[in-house]
Amino acid sequence: MGPQSSGKSTLLNHLFYTNFREMDAYSGRNQTTKGVWIAKAVGIEPFTIVMDLEGTDGRERGEDDTAFEKQSALFALAVADVVLINIWCHDIGREQAANRPLLKVVFQVMMRLFSPRKTTLLFVIRDKTKTPFEYLEPILREDIQKIWEKVSKPQEHEDTPLSEFFNVEVTALSSYEEKEEQFKEQVAQLRQRFFNSISPGGLAGDRQGVVPASGFSFSAEQIWKVIKENKDLDLPAHKVMVATVRCEEIANEKFDGLASDENWLALERAIQTGAVSGFGKSISSILKAYLSEYDAESEYFEENVRNAKRRYLESKALQMVYPAYITMLGHLHSNAFNNFKTRLEGCLDRGEKFAASARTCQHYAMLEFDNEFADAAIQQANWDVSKVREKLSRNLKAHTSHVRSERLSQLLAEYERQVSAALNEPLESLSEAPGTDTWASIRSLLKRESDAAASAFFSALTGFELDQATIDDLVQNLKEYARKLVEKKSRDEAGKVLIRMKDRFASVFNHDKDSMPRVWTGKEDIRAITREARLESMKLLATLAVIRLDDTKDNVERVLFSAFMDGTGSVHSRDRDFRVSGDPLASSTWREVPPEKTLITPIQCRALWRQFMAETEYNVTQAVSAQEAHKRGNNWLPPPWAIVAMAVLGFNEFMLLLRNPFYLVVLFVTYLLGKAIWVQTDIPGIFGNGIVPGLFALSRRFPPTLMNMLGRLASEGQDRPTPPHQHATSQGFRHQSQASDSVSSWVCDPADSDSESTNTS
């Protein structure tokens, strides 16, 4: 900055190799630079921006229009590290010199900057004369100090020295028009001071509150906006604002880059199908790369803002990867849980004890989860995974409890099957032929098998490390199962009691004491046999009427005996007195027997006995009929009176037979023939089914049987010729004897009788 037409643009073009528009001296001295122009310094490191300001004290704006001068000066002080101020050499030491208004403007606007940074003011003495530079510099510094002291300042800066706000540097240049080569050499020397200008001791060595290059455009725009609005420029607040906007832009840019990063997207896709090895390291590496880029780009912004926006970026990035992280933890949880289940099942299948196996498998599962979690941990995150770990621990314990319950149920079911197998067949055998000692046998069987199963079950439970109360409950449940099984079998058998009673009756009634089938010949006492059979059936009913697993006494059999068997052995009279008061069977419970142990109530016993009597009455009737039929069939003698009548009336015929032996021979032969016909035709069997059917059957069998007998007699007569020297009487007698022998032998020959001895029934 400097007075109009003082060679500012020319100096900048030679100093920084820019191409600002310069004044054409041949066209007159007038305003060349309007406003503020900006260009990049060529060939200078670090990257340097050069601004060419409109000259002050120009006639084009007039004496009263100094607003833009102040605005541009304030803008220069706000954004620049080094401000070059052109001063004519002949104005040094003058009270009314042209540079004084300029310096007043600089110092006045400086008061509008709150807590400004320290700016380098490089005074360039143009067109120096023969006066040595050593004399010019103290005079200039003295003038500057005087101007500073006369400028009104805020109360807090009333005594603040100039050095608190500015680094004052002074240099001198020869006239460009008169000594161009010397001017260029001096400018070249000055140019060297701008190399590494931000290094300590350089022209721009005070780097406090600087704006990074990436935020320069936005910062300059906002500063100019505030200046144009004629507001006080709070550079620290502006610096924070610029840092906030720019750091947020950088953070958003890095976040967008992270969201579209191929490595991150590949991890996100892969994590959906299963756990990814090295997940934590990969995510940490990606986040670190983008955070490092942010740090590099935001390095020169205000520290607090930079760090806040870094935390914002980190938080936003972690929030984006958190679902994938949770999914990864879910996979780790599932893997550990599934491996635990597989490992536990394997241990149990190998026969290892449950409690020890469960503890070992849980330990390995938690250790596996911790190791996998360490691999999945993200370096930048500090998430609390204790809930996930606790959830895994709860799930492991819940599954262990579930498997324990299943194994205990399976173990209990296995021993229940063993108890069932041990009890079913003996119970069925005892139930098929129940007797007075049936329940004693059942109690003994139940105690033996349940104690054996309980002992084995108790040994099997030791591997589960259960408390004693639980073990006692399980063992008791097994014993209760055995007892209930016996009770169920008893109730099933009680439902078939009528069939059992009829079978018992039939067995006793139809078989003797040696278990041989009875033949009703007429000698048996059917009444006594019937009573005995019914008594056995009644005992069977009494046995199955009540459950007697506790070896308690009851009067069921006595009550049934008094009701069914006492006196008559029949229940018909009892049935007629069913409603008589005091009838022990007129009740739904047995005396001294709990209802839960009652299988057949007294009323049901009465009904069953009535039905039993009705269904077995036919067997008794058949036995009586068979006995009477047998008697009739075996009694062929006529009544005694008929025998006496025959003896009296047939006396003469009997004497005739005694006087003539030939009649006896004829009678004997007739008897033999009749006996043969009797055997061949099976007269008793034919007439056993009745007289009329017997006559029909006899009419069919008699002719063939008679012809067969005559044929055989003839054939035997031809096979035995009579010798010629025997007497005729002897011959005839022998013939009769042979005939008798042949008939007798034929009667006893069973060969022909098989074809004819057919029971017409």
Side-chain angles (χ1 to χ4, degrees):
M1 57 188 300
Q4 180 177 310
S5 302
S6 61
K8 299 186 298 301
S9 300
T10 302
L11 173 60
L12 294 178
N13 289 338
H14 285 82
L15 185 60
F16 299 108
Y17 299 166
T18 55
N19 56 355
F20 294 121
R21 181 182 176 187
E22 300 179 8
M23 184 189 71
D24 185 3
Y26 297 101
S27 299
R29 303 185 67 84
N30 52 23
Q31 187 181 47
T32 304
T33 302
K34 294 182 179 182
V36 178
W37 292 77
I38 190 169
K40 174 184 179 297
V42 179
I44 293 181
E45 291 294 336
F47 187 96
T48 302
I49 295 294
V50 182
M51 290 189 299
D52 188 12
L53 272 63
E54 179 179 326
T56 62
D57 196 23
R59 63 182 179 83
E60 284 79 7
R61 291 193 178 271
E63 182 179 352
D64 298 329
D65 188 7
T66 60
F68 184 77
E69 292 180 3
K70 294 181 179 180
Q71 290 174 352
S72 60
L74 182 58
F75 180 73
L77 291 174
V79 302
D81 295 301
V82 180
V83 178
L84 281 75
I85 301 176
N86 262 1
I87 295 180
W88 297 110
C89 181
H90 53 76
D91 284 339
I92 297 175
R94 293 181 181 179
E95 185 66 24
Q96 302 297 326
N99 64 333
R100 284 184 174 271
L102 176 61
L103 292 178
K104 288 181 180 180
V105 169
V106 170
F107 294 153
Q108 287 173 355
V109 299
M110 199 66 191
M111 297 300 100
R112 297 180 59 186
L113 299 177
F114 300 136
S115 301
R117 61 195 175 112
K118 206 169 185 180
T119 306
T120 299
L121 297 180
L122 177 57
F123 289 88
V124 181
I125 302 174
R126 303 295 300 274
D127 298 346
K128 70 175 183 175
T129 60
K130 295 181 179 179
T131 304
F133 178 73
E134 292 79 8
Y135 296 128
L136 293 176
E137 182 179 4
I139 298 173
L140 179 59
R141 290 183 178 273
E142 182 180 355
D143 291 343
I144 295 172
Q145 184 63 38
K146 289 180 180 179
I147 296 173
W148 172 256
E149 291 175 352
K150 291 180 180 180
V151 172
S152 60
K153 308 179 194 62
Q155 186 176 359
E156 62 269 19
H157 296 299
E158 189 69 31
D159 298 326
T160 304
L162 178 65
S163 58
E164 290 290 327
F165 293 92
F166 301 103
N167 289 323
V168 178
E169 298 285 341
V170 180
T171 187
L173 297 177
S174 300
S175 173
Y176 173 70
E177 294 180 352
E178 298 176 359
K179 301 177 181 180
E180 182 177 356
E181 294 300 325
Q182 190 176 359
F183 172 83
K184 291 181 179 179
E185 291 177 1
Q186 294 171 348
V187 169
Q189 294 176 1
L190 180 61
R191 175 182 172 85
Q192 296 301 317
R193 298 187 64 181
F194 285 93
F195 284 92
N196 300 318
S197 60
I198 63 175
S199 299
L203 284 177
D206 182 9
R207 301 293 292 168
Q208 297 180 359
V210 297
V211 177
S214 61
F216 175 77
S217 174
F218 176 77
S219 175
E221 181 181 0
Q222 295 299 317
I223 289 175
W224 184 254
K225 180 179 179 182
V226 173
I227 292 174
K228 289 289 290 181
E229 293 175 355
N230 198 26
K231 296 180 179 179
D232 291 338
L233 184 61
D234 189 348
L235 284 183
H238 173 76
K239 180 179 64 174
V240 171
M241 183 269 295
V242 172
T244 301
V245 173
R246 184 56 188 149
C247 288
E248 186 170 349
E249 289 178 353
I250 297 173
N252 291 334
E253 178 184 347
K254 299 309 169 186
F255 179 79
D256 293 340
L258 172 63
S260 59
D261 187 271
E262 290 298 329
N263 294 330
W264 154 246
L265 295 177
L267 274 175
E268 188 178 29
R269 288 191 298 269
I271 203 65
Q272 302 302 321
T273 58
V276 177
S277 178
F279 174 83
K281 292 181 180 179
S282 300
I283 294 295
S284 299
S285 176
I286 295 173
L287 293 178
K288 183 178 180 181
Y290 282 95
L291 290 175
S292 298
E293 292 179 6
Y294 170 85
D295 292 338
E297 295 186 21
S298 64
E299 179 180 3
Y300 298 106
F301 287 103
E302 205 275 332
E303 182 179 5
N304 293 333
V305 177
R306 180 177 74 243
N307 293 337
K309 293 304 177 180
R310 188 185 195 279
R311 290 191 296 270
Y312 163 77
L313 171 61
E314 187 175 12
S315 174
K316 197 173 180 181
L318 290 176
Q319 186 178 2
M320 184 182 70
V321 303
Y322 185 73
Y325 178 75
I326 291 299
T327 304
M328 180 66 181
L329 291 185
H331 290 313
L332 298 182
H333 177 282
S334 299
N335 292 343
F337 185 68
N338 293 333
N339 292 339
F340 164 77
K341 292 194 294 184
T342 303
R343 193 178 293 114
L344 180 60
E345 290 296 329
C347 292
L348 297 180
D349 291 342
R350 290 192 297 271
E352 299 181 13
K353 293 184 177 181
F354 179 85
S357 300
R359 281 196 301 270
T360 302
C361 293
Q362 285 184 16
H363 173 73
Y364 283 138
M366 297 305 297
L367 185 62
E368 176 185 359
F369 176 80
D370 291 339
N371 293 336
E372 294 294 334
F373 166 72
D375 181 65
I378 298 176
Q379 181 181 355
Q380 293 79 5
N382 189 24
W383 291 317
D384 183 14
V385 296
S386 59
K387 292 183 178 180
V388 180
R389 197 176 189 279
E390 290 173 1
K391 179 182 178 182
L392 175 60
S393 179
R394 290 195 304 270
N395 290 343
L396 295 180
K397 292 178 180 178
H399 182 72
T400 301
S401 178
H402 175 69
V403 174
R404 182 190 294 110
S405 299
E406 283 188 346
R407 290 286 174 165
L408 287 175
S409 299
Q410 293 174 2
L411 188 63
L412 181 60
E414 176 64 26
Y415 278 93
E416 286 177 353
R417 283 193 294 270
Q418 294 180 12
V419 170
S420 299
L423 291 177
N424 279 335
E425 292 185 1
L427 286 176
E428 290 177 0
S429 177
L430 291 172
S431 300
E432 289 177 357
T436 56
D437 61 342
T438 297
W439 283 108
S441 301
I442 291 176
R443 288 194 295 270
S444 176
L445 174 66
L446 174 61
K447 186 176 186 308
R448 182 177 68 252
E449 296 299 337
S450 61
D451 288 347
S455 177
F457 186 53
F458 180 84
S459 300
L461 290 176
T462 56
F464 289 88
E465 297 182 4
L466 304 173
D467 57 273
Q468 189 61 40
T470 303
I471 294 177
D472 293 341
D473 290 341
L474 291 172
V475 172
Q476 185 62 31
N477 289 340
L478 180 61
K479 290 184 177 181
E480 287 295 330
Y481 172 80
R483 186 182 181 92
K484 290 179 180 179
L485 177 64
V486 173
E487 292 180 356
K488 182 178 181 299
K489 280 288 184 181
S490 301
R491 295 186 185 279
D492 293 342
E493 291 300 323
K496 300 183 288 185
V497 66
L498 182 60
I499 299 174
R500 300 292 189 197
M501 290 169 64
K502 291 192 294 184
D503 292 343
R504 176 64 63 86
F505 178 85
S507 177
V508 176
F509 187 75
N510 294 326
H511 296 80
D512 57 16
K513 294 181 179 180
D514 297 328
S515 299
M516 297 298 294
R518 294 185 189 274
V519 178
W520 305 105
T521 63
K523 299 178 181 179
E524 298 82 4
D525 186 356
I526 293 181
R527 182 179 296 275
I529 295 173
T530 302
R531 179 179 176 81
E532 181 184 0
R534 288 175 177 171
L535 179 61
E536 293 297 325
S537 298
M538 185 274 297
K539 290 181 179 180
L540 188 148
L541 177 61
T543 301
L544 296 180
V546 175
I547 297 175
R548 298 179 176 87
L549 293 178
D550 296 327
D551 194 17
T552 56
K553 302 296 182 181
D554 58 70
N555 60 350
V556 175
E557 184 174 348
R558 185 165 60 255
V559 170
L560 293 180
F561 182 83
S562 64
F564 299 148
M565 304 301 299
D566 193 11
T568 62
S570 174
V571 297
H572 299 300
S573 62
R574 296 286 181 179
D575 289 340
R576 289 191 295 270
D577 299 334
F578 181 74
R579 294 182 177 84
V580 177
S581 61
D583 186 351
L585 297 183
S587 174
S588 60
T589 59
W590 298 101
R591 184 177 301 175
E592 299 178 357
V593 177
E596 62 272 10
K597 294 184 179 180
T598 300
L599 299 178
I600 306 173
T601 64
I603 296 177
Q604 292 173 338
C605 286
R606 179 182 291 278
L608 286 170
W609 189 260
R610 186 186 297 113
Q611 186 176 356
F612 164 74
M613 291 294 293
E615 294 183 6
T616 58
E617 192 70 28
Y618 177 76
N619 293 345
V620 178
T621 303
Q622 285 293 98
V624 173
S625 299
Q627 191 178 56
E628 292 177 355
H630 188 274
K631 289 179 181 180
R632 289 194 303 269
N634 291 333
N635 189 11
W636 293 97
L637 294 176
W641 61 269
I643 295 176
V644 174
M646 289 174 61
V648 173
L649 296 178
F651 179 76
N652 293 333
E653 286 77 4
F654 178 70
M655 294 304 295
L656 178 61
L657 291 176
L658 291 177
R659 293 190 188 99
N660 191 354
F662 179 74
Y663 290 143
L664 291 174
V665 173
V666 173
L667 185 60
F668 178 69
V669 172
T670 302
Y671 168 74
L672 292 177
L673 291 174
K675 182 67 174 178
I677 293 173
W678 180 278
V679 173
Q680 287 291 318
T681 56
D682 190 16
I683 297 299
I686 291 176
F687 285 95
N689 296 319
I691 298 177
V692 176
L695 292 175
F696 279 107
L698 182 61
S699 64
R700 289 196 303 270
R701 291 188 182 186
F702 181 73
T705 302
L706 182 60
M707 295 301 294
N708 187 21
M709 291 171 56
L710 294 177
R712 293 190 63 176
L713 288 173
S715 62
E716 289 183 2
Q718 292 176 2
D719 292 339
R720 296 183 181 180
T722 304
H725 62 274
Q726 289 185 352
H727 190 268
T729 304
S730 302
Q731 186 177 13
F733 181 77
R734 291 193 186 95
H735 178 71
Q736 294 175 358
S737 300
Q738 292 169 359
S740 300
D741 295 337
S742 64
V743 172
S744 300
S745 64
W746 180 79
V747 171
C748 298
D749 189 2
D752 295 329
S753 64
D754 292 340
S755 61
E756 298 296 335
S757 299
T758 304
N759 192 342
T760 59
S761 63

